[in-house]
Amino acid sequence: MGGTLHGRVVVVMGAGAAYGRAVALALGRAGATILAADRDPDLAEDTAAAIREDGGWGEGFAVEPCDGRGVRAMASATVQHLGRIDARIVAPLPPPPGSLLDAPDDRWHAFLGEALIAPHVAIQACVREMLAGHHPGDIILVAPPDEPGAAAMVRANVLALARWWAAELADTPIRVEALEPRAEPAPV
């Protein structure tokens, strides 16, 4: 498989669902070597298998997104196994279903941890590996579409986090960007 990203090593967090899977598959088709990371090992491996079926190189990796030690171990293993990390992509998770009024506390705590803490933990781990290996790379955060509710909160966090990391890494060869897909208009 050839492509514009041939030889680039990309870690995609949240690769088992929605945006993350779509991003991982598109990058795999463009020739990138993909580490498809997700908390669900079956979903991570399903995404990696789909990349391989398309003729690319994909490997699934199960990691709890808010577990700093686990995410750092994943980043380190990626560098040990593949030599470097060229890009790290954080894909948003979908908001939990249901009403704010009826949502159990544990579900919202988990959602907020993944929405607000997990992206920072993953970026931090990959940036450390990039800097230690003197290998410039990209950090790309994918903001959810501009929709009301929990998606708006996640979107605001993703955009603020991208600006914050970009400012902190301004004097390094690591570039930080946020992608902002737009929601499709609903048919009338």
Side-chain angles (χ1 to χ4, degrees), residues 3-159:
T4 58
L5 297 176
H6 182 73
R8 304 270 309 222
V9 176
V10 180
V11 176
V12 180
M13 294 291 288
Y19 296 114
R21 181 177 171 89
V23 167
L25 293 172
L27 293 171
R29 283 186 205 106
T33 297
I34 304 296
L35 181 76
D38 199 274
R39 91 162 5 106
D40 183 318
D42 294 332
L43 293 177
E45 183 50 41
D46 286 350
T47 298
I51 292 166
R52 292 189 300 269
E53 287 171 15
D54 275 351
W57 191 99
E59 183 174 327
F61 196 98
V63 64
E64 190 61 38
C66 291
D67 173 20
R69 271 187 250 139
V71 173
R72 285 188 296 277
M74 176 206 62
S76 179
T78 302
V79 170
Q80 288 175 8
H81 184 65
L82 299 172
R84 68 186 186 280
I85 298 172
D86 293 306
R88 160 74 182 81
I89 308 222
V90 180
L93 66 160
S99 136
L100 290 171
L101 185 61
D102 299 327
D105 289 346
D106 61 338
R107 188 173 79 197
W108 278 97
H109 284 269
F111 170 73
L112 291 173
E114 285 192 36
L116 304 176
I117 297 167
H120 166 73
V121 168
I123 292 167
Q124 184 182 57
C126 290
V127 164
R128 286 178 174 163
E129 291 293 335
M130 289 172 173
L131 291 173
H134 305 287
H135 191 79
D138 300 310
I139 301 296
I140 301 167
L141 292 96
V142 181
D146 193 10
E147 297 173 347
M153 180 189 66
V154 173
R155 180 182 180 78
N157 177 65
V158 165
L159 298 176

Side-chain angles (χ1 to χ4, degrees), residues 169-183:
L169 297 172
D171 294 333
T172 75
I174 299 172
R175 187 178 62 177
V176 180
E177 293 187 62
L179 298 178
E180 302 180 63
R182 303 287 178 205

